[in-house]
Amino acid sequence: MEKEILELAKNIAPSTQLSVEQVAGVIYEIIDSQKKSRIKFEIDEEYIQKAIWVKTVMGEI
């Protein structure tokens, strides 16, 4: 799973101003929050882009 996350982060990072490690960190945060929730949802590139945008606006990145 870690390899898949890094590949996804590598695909997304060029479209942001973040490093691959930062994008991977956001993906891991999404996975952790999903584990704590009863709601399951697909984690795709669009969702990750939105999460990055929200974290940027909130000043968390």
Side-chain angles (χ1 to χ4, degrees):
M1 181 170 188
E2 187 172 330
K3 188 175 183 177
E4 294 169 348
I5 291 170
L6 287 176
E7 284 300 316
L8 185 56
K10 286 179 188 176
N11 290 338
I12 295 171
S15 65
T16 69
Q17 294 182 352
L18 303 177
S19 68
V20 172
E21 292 79 15
Q22 288 173 305
V23 174
V26 171
I27 296 170
Y28 282 118
E29 286 180 33
I30 294 169
I31 292 170
D32 287 344
S33 67
Q34 190 179 54
K35 286 179 182 177
K36 297 174 186 174
S37 172
R38 294 183 192 178
I39 302 169
K40 302 300 177 200
F41 49 87
E42 184 177 344
I43 301 170
D44 59 7
E45 286 190 35
E46 182 179 351
Y47 186 86
I48 296 166
Q49 290 281 6
K50 289 177 183 178
I52 289 170
W53 181 82
V54 169
K55 291 179 81 51
T56 302
V57 169
M58 299 291 291
E60 296 179 17
I61 294 182

